[in-house]
Every structure is written in structure tokens, then in C-alpha cells.
Amino acid sequence: MPEEKKEYPHIPQEIIERVKKLREEIEYHNYRYYVLDSPVISDAEYDALMRELKELEEKYPELITPDSPTQRVGFKPAEGFKEVPHAEPMLSLDDAMDENEVLEFDKRVKKFLGLPEEAQIEYTVEPKIDGLAVELVYEDGTLKLGATRGDGYVGEDVTANIKTIKSIPLKLKKFDEDAPEIPPRIDVRGEVYLNKEEFEKINQERIKKGEPPFANPRNAAAGSLRQLDPSVTAKRKLDIFCYGVGKVEGYNFKTQWEVLQTLPKWGLKINPLVKLVKNIREAIDYHHEMEKKRQELPYEIDGIVIKVNDLSLWEKLGTKARSPRYAIAYKFQPTQVTTKLLNVVFQVGRTGAITPVAILQPVQIGGVIVERATLHNEDYIKNLDIRIGDWVLVQRAGDVIPQIIMPIKERRTGDEKEIKFPTECPRCGTKLVKKPDEAVWRCPNPNCYASLIRKILHFASRLAMNIEGLGEKVAKDLVDRGLVENVADLYYLRLEDFLRLPGFAYKKAKNLYEAIQKSKKNTLARFIYALGIRHVGEAMAQLLAKKFKTLDNLMKASMSDLMSVEGVGYEVAKSIVEFFKNEHNQEIIKRLLDAGITFEEEEEKQEEVTPKLEGLTFVFTGALKSMTRDQAKAKVLQLGGKVSDHVSKNVDYVVVGEAPGSKYQKALKLGLKIINEEEFLKLIGETQ
């Protein structure tokens, strides 16, 4: 914008400069996103830049130029592919970030059509897939061309690569007698994507090769589809959902819903979650429904797409420079953002495991302020080459602990520092150890302060010995004053010992003392769980108690004895044997029993309850809302069912909670019965 200062004397110079800077930034990020498939900022940050530019241009329309990012869709095609013009533009969609913006969209549509506000407009709604938009040109039913969206007007010819996607038919056929005749020409629009499992697999392979991982499935799909060698694309399990049409000759669709219902009859895949709604309120309800389902879907979605259903209204509404007036993308809260890695601290867990934790410049993800994220282990840091001072991509999905996905190496200044993994425990100074078959470093010191605090909290937790009032602050105060060096010491404390703790008057001290005494009478299953044996959760503790009857029997059990228990594999059995062979653990158990801990018989509730799950095997993955996974497993066992930690063809039900792991993907592959938490509760006769 030359001579802008003279040309627009009434506009503040800082506004002119800001518009110029925003355009430069957006063009750069367009280049990174569309051409290199390697963004250096998150989608949420990009959206914020674009929204700011649009707002400034709306306020100062004199500053709008034909080459502004707001006046076009994307970026010019990458070199190496032949350019292909679209018969009809493939426009991008305006975004709505909240309910009010969606309602405003509905009002604009009605106003433009001259309808009253109370009028009801029919819309189609569908998940917004995190993939790459393409156009498939069919002539006389045969696939002639596959192209990327490119800048919306000219795309890239990726026909050879498109043909490697098995879900895209090379020839359209009538699979339904009632289907219309296939038009002489039809340009079908769709979204090419990678499912979550394939995305993770590709990234793991890239990390092993020393290559940077893809930031998200969209970039992985784009990188896969835009390979110059189609054989590379063929190795990636790309898929497609078709969502609309461009130019059509010989047939006239009347509604978008007709399009969605007709394409599958010709062999084209559409998303089964598409829906026709009567008004904008139902569209908003659909958004909330999809946000709840988001984690359990095998592919990534970042919102929903809302379109006016009546195609004759599309012509009346028309388009703006880069987007149509008849559709909008209603986005979810972002689960990925970029922020700065300020420092790394090393935490010591209950089992002595050392976990690197990233200290981040505070950032909002999915409505939550995030200041810390896990870095998993030393190998993870080395493979991704993450450094202190890096700008990093952080992800938070569901209620999962935030994690760093990758560093943005292009933003490095040279001041970044290598993360040095400690060789000694950051709390007690003991030399760390790592087993050959593990990726985790551990502090072997059984008296390490940090792991001791975690052990005490676990031992006293509700599902273990259930010592009410023994929280983290109390645990630290007891250890800091030398009153507790292991969990057994809790039972040798006197009432006056608690009175020495800060904030403890007589009543509070008496309550905690009595809670500890009360916990001496407990069940064997709770005690086993309280010991904190690796791989032994609440449900596993119940199985062991039921099988071995006494603590002595369990302590003497061999590997083969343990592996005869349903659900106990080699690793679990090995962990149990090693725990009870350890002299330090033996001494603590002896002192606990000497202090007066006794085991009551478990209430035989099974006799009172119909074994409705008898013969059924369950696997749980993801976080449940109404109970912990261990509690859910215990309910299955109580009702006569079995629980497994491994997905196989012998499993009857896979119960999926929030942010499920690889078990969910494996269950999909095997075609197992998958149910959500609500369905599980109905199955066991409970309501949420």
C-alpha cells in the first residue's frame, strides 16, 4: 500500500501499519499452511489474525485491496503440480466461535432474503472434518480429475494420488434403483482425511526417522495427498467424506439434503452423522452433541458446518469475496495452541518414576488456562528435539493432561537451551536407574521424599485405606517433621503428634487420629491396592484378593500362580513378584500388620445380585465421568463379568470414555461392540 499516509490522512497511521502487518503475517502463514503443509502457529491463532484484519477492513473499507487475504481463499498452488481451474469457485467458510455469532448468521440470512426474524430456515449440519478439501470431476460417470482447493479458483492436479484412495470410486454406479441417472458431468467436493490411528502411526514413523511430526491430521493428510510419487500416497490410509457439489450438467439438485442423500446412491461416501434440522436452534443443539462425541470419533473434527438447505436460496444469498453467505463453520474450542516453553521441571512419582513437566507461558486451550504440560520421558524430548525457550504446539483433548506435540523450529532464535535430563533424583540425589525394557528413569530410593508423599496419599486415598483428612499438606507436614518415613509409621502416631502440626487443634487432631485407627479394619483387596504395586489397580486388587484369599498366599505366589488369574499377564505378575521379594516392602508390610491391621471378609454382594454380565468380557478406555475406571471394572466383576486390559476378539464390550487411547482404534479394526458410558450404565442397571 504505497503512500498510504498521504492517501488516507483521516485514518491513524498505526491502523494502516497494523493492517499491512496483519496481511504480511497472514500471507506468510498461508504459505506455511497451504504450500509447505507445515504451519508455525495454531489454527486458533490464525483465525484470530484473520478476524482482526476483517474487523479493521470493515471499519476502514478504504483499506481493502484486491490482494488482501480477506478477498481470497487460500494460496497459489505449490510447484510440481499442474494448475487446474475450478469450474465453480471452492470458497472457504466464515467461522463462528460462539452461539451468538451463529444466531447473527441466521439473522443475516433472513434479512438478506427479506424474511421476518421469526421465520424458520431449514439447514443441513455435518461435522467439520480436519482434512484437505478436494474436488472430484466425473465425466460420464468416470473420474477424470482430482484437484486440491488451492486458492479456491485454481487448484493442483492430484488425480494420480486421488486414485490411490480406496473410498473414492473410479467409476460412479447406480447402487439404488430410485437414484437419479448419473449426470454427464458432476464436480463432487469432499474432505480427504486421516483417521487418528493412522495419523499417530505416521508420526511415530517420522519421529523414528528423525523427521518432524505432522502438527495435526489435516497437515498429515495434505502432506500425504500432495506427494509427487503416488506410491507414497498409496501407503497412507487416506479416506474421504463427500459434502457437496460444484458444477453439475444434466441434473438439477433442489436441496443440499438431496445432494447428501443422492451421492451415496452413486457410490460416493458421505459422513453418516449429517443431519437435516428445522431451524438454527436445532443446528446449535447439533453442535453441542458433536462436541460431546468429538473424542470418541475415529477422526478429528474441529466444529460443524451449517448450510442453508434450499439451493435456490444459495443463488439469492450469493457470496462475498472469499466465502458464501449461505453457510458458516461453527468451531469448537481449540484443543491445540502454540505457546512458549519457559522451563522444565522433573517430578518424582509414587513408583519413583521421573516425569519431565514443561512450564509454559500461560495459554487458554478449550476454555482452560494451561501452564504445564507433560513431556513424557527422555526419549520423547530427544526424538522431537524440544528445547527450553522453544515455541511449541500444545494439545489438550477432553480431560487429558496437556502435552507438547512438537517444537516450532522455524521460530528459533538461537537462544534456546538443551533440556538436560537429570542423572540423580531431583529430590533426594540418589542415582537414577532405567531398566533396559523401559523408557522411564526411576529413583530407586524407597525413602525419597517426593515418592514418599505420593505413596502416603495413595495409601490413604478413598479407594485404598480411606483415611479421611489425610491430604497433601498434612502428608508433607508429617514427613517434614520426621514423624513419618513410610506408610507404616502412620499407625504408630499418637494423638499429641498431630497437635504438633500447623493448623491442628484438638478436634482436628482427634478426627485424623481416629480415622487412621478406623482404617485398621479393612478388606484385603483395599490393602493390596493401597500398597501401590505397579500395574495393580482397584479391580486387579479385588481379583487377587478373591483368588488368593490371604495376604500370605499372595506374597508367596509364583509367576505361574499369578498368571492363572484372569487378566494377569506377564508384566503384572512380574511386578507383583518383585514387589513382595523386596526386603524393604516386606518390612513395611510386617510393621503394618504388627500395628493391628486386620482384614474383614468382603461382603458377598454377588449372591444378592443377578450375575447379568456372566460370560461377558469388558475393556475400558478413556476417562469416565460417573466413576473411575477401577470402580467400573469392580462393578463388572461384581455382576459376574470379566475385565481385560487387552483388546482382542474375545472381548464382548469396549467401554469408551473421554479421550480414549489406542484400545479404541484397535476395537474399531476388530469390529468389536463399542459402547459409551451412558450405555454401560444402562447395561449394569444404573442411571447417570
Side-chain angles (χ1 to χ4, degrees), residues 250-265:
Y251 187 78
N252 183 34
F253 288 104
K254 292 182 173 58
T255 66
Q256 171 65 8
W257 187 245
E258 184 192 354
V259 171
L260 295 173
Q261 296 303 297
T262 303
L263 293 183
K265 294 176 181 179

Side-chain angles (χ1 to χ4, degrees), residues 546 602-611 637-640:
K546 188 175 180 180
E602 290 272 15
E603 291 182 23
E604 291 293 331
K605 293 179 183 177
Q606 288 89 340
E607 293 180 4
E608 303 168 13
V609 181
T610 305
L637 296 172
Q638 184 186 26
L639 293 171

Side-chain angles (χ1 to χ4, degrees), residues 103-174:
L103 293 172
E104 282 300 317
F105 160 74
D106 184 59
K107 284 181 184 177
R108 285 197 304 272
V109 168
K110 292 171 185 173
K111 186 177 179 181
F112 205 91
L113 295 172
L115 298 173
E117 275 196 29
E118 63 271 16
Q120 302 286 295
I121 292 185
E122 209 171 47
Y123 293 100
T124 60
V125 286
E126 60 193 283
K128 185 176 181 298
I129 308 296
D130 188 14
L132 180 73
V134 298
E135 182 168 67
L136 312 173
V137 178
Y138 287 90
E139 294 180 0
D140 296 323
T142 301
L143 179 65
K144 294 294 185 181
L145 175 71
T148 64
R149 186 174 68 181
D151 66 358
Y153 298 92
V154 177
E156 300 162 326
D157 185 343
V158 289
T159 309
N161 293 347
I162 283 286
K163 287 181 176 180
T164 69
I165 302 173
K166 293 180 180 178
S167 51
I168 296 177
L170 300 179
K171 181 83 175 173
L172 299 182
K173 296 179 183 177
K174 282 181 63 173

Side-chain angles (χ1 to χ4, degrees), residues 346 354-356 376-379 381 419-423 432 441:
F346 296 89
I354 308 299
T355 304
H376 300 292
N377 53 53
E378 183 183 28
D379 290 344
I381 292 170
I419 299 170
K420 293 183 179 178
F421 213 90
T423 56
L432 300 179
W441 286 95

Side-chain angles (χ1 to χ4, degrees), residues 24 40 42 48 89 95 114 178 282 285 311 331 366 370 467 487 512 517 575 604:
E24 289 173 352
V40 294
S42 66
D95 294 335
D178 297 331
E282 287 190 4
D285 290 342
L311 296 183
K331 292 284 198 80
V370 171
I467 303 174
V487 293
L512 182 52
Q517 301 310 307
S575 176
E604 291 293 331

Side-chain angles (χ1 to χ4, degrees), residues 249-520:
E249 294 177 355
Y251 187 78
N252 183 34
F253 288 104
K254 292 182 173 58
T255 66
Q256 171 65 8
W257 187 245
E258 184 192 354
V259 171
L260 295 173
Q261 296 303 297
T262 303
L263 293 183
K265 294 176 181 179
W266 292 336
L268 292 154
K269 182 179 177 181
I270 69 161
N271 194 309
L273 297 174
V274 298
K275 191 174 181 180
L276 179 64
V277 297
K278 296 174 184 175
N279 52 51
I280 201 66
R281 277 290 168 195
E282 287 190 4
I284 291 170
D285 290 342
Y286 177 85
H287 175 274
H288 299 329
E289 180 189 344
M290 286 302 106
E291 197 157 26
K292 287 178 185 175
K293 285 185 176 179
R294 182 181 190 181
Q295 300 307 324
E296 62 190 64
L297 294 175
Y299 46 82
E300 291 286 356
I301 63 173
D302 58 1
I304 69 165
V305 176
I306 304 171
K307 297 175 184 173
V308 172
N309 186 38
D310 188 337
L311 296 183
S312 68
L313 299 182
W314 286 25
E315 293 181 20
K316 293 178 183 177
L317 289 163
T319 63
K320 297 179 284 183
R322 66 186 298 271
S323 59
R325 293 191 180 93
Y326 49 78
I328 197 165
Y330 185 5
K331 292 284 198 80
F332 298 143
Q333 288 287 331
T335 57
Q336 283 189 348
V337 298
T338 50
T339 188
K340 199 164 190 179
L341 173 57
L342 304 178
N343 198 9
V344 175
V345 296
F346 296 89
Q347 291 184 342
V348 186
R350 173 171 54 85
T351 62
I354 308 299
T355 304
V357 178
I359 307 301
L360 306 170
Q361 189 171 294
V363 64
Q364 190 174 81
I365 313 178
V368 176
I369 299 294
V370 171
E371 299 180 76
R372 290 177 168 233
T374 180
L375 283 166
H376 300 292
N377 53 53
E378 183 183 28
D379 290 344
Y380 189 81
I381 292 170
K382 284 182 176 177
N383 288 337
L384 289 181
D385 185 23
I386 301 170
R387 303 176 189 178
I388 293 170
D390 268 335
W391 285 91
V392 292
L393 185 67
V394 183
Q395 176 171 291
R396 178 182 179 273
D399 292 324
V400 174
I401 298 169
Q403 63 174 331
I404 289 178
I405 300 299
M406 60 187 287
I408 310 299
K409 295 181 180 180
E410 292 81 0
R411 295 179 74 168
R412 284 180 175 166
T413 62
D415 295 328
E416 294 76 18
K417 297 176 183 177
E418 184 183 345
I419 299 170
K420 293 183 179 178
F421 213 90
T423 56
E424 298 177 346
C425 175
R427 187 69 203 200
C428 70
T430 303
K431 187 175 177 61
L432 300 179
V433 297
K434 182 167 76 167
K435 292 182 179 180
D437 57 340
E438 290 187 351
V440 178
W441 286 95
R442 297 182 189 277
C443 172
N445 179 9
N447 299 313
C448 176
Y449 177 89
S451 60
L452 175 57
I453 298 299
R454 296 292 156 210
K455 285 175 184 174
I456 292 170
L457 292 174
H458 174 78
F459 185 85
S461 64
R462 186 170 58 84
L463 298 175
M465 299 304 281
N466 193 23
I467 303 174
E468 195 173 338
L470 210 172
E472 187 169 0
K473 186 179 184 307
V474 175
K476 286 181 177 178
D477 286 340
L478 288 170
V479 174
D480 290 344
R481 282 161 176 73
L483 295 169
V484 173
E485 292 182 358
N486 57 62
V487 293
D489 289 340
L490 292 169
Y491 293 97
Y492 293 88
L493 294 171
R494 300 164 299 170
L495 180 61
E496 50 265 38
D497 291 326
F498 294 108
L499 290 168
R500 293 162 56 188
L501 302 180
F504 271 75
Y506 178 77
K507 185 177 180 181
K508 188 175 180 180
K510 183 171 179 287
N511 287 343
L512 182 52
Y513 176 78
E514 289 180 350
I516 291 172
Q517 301 310 307
K518 182 181 176 183
S519 74
K520 286 182 180 179

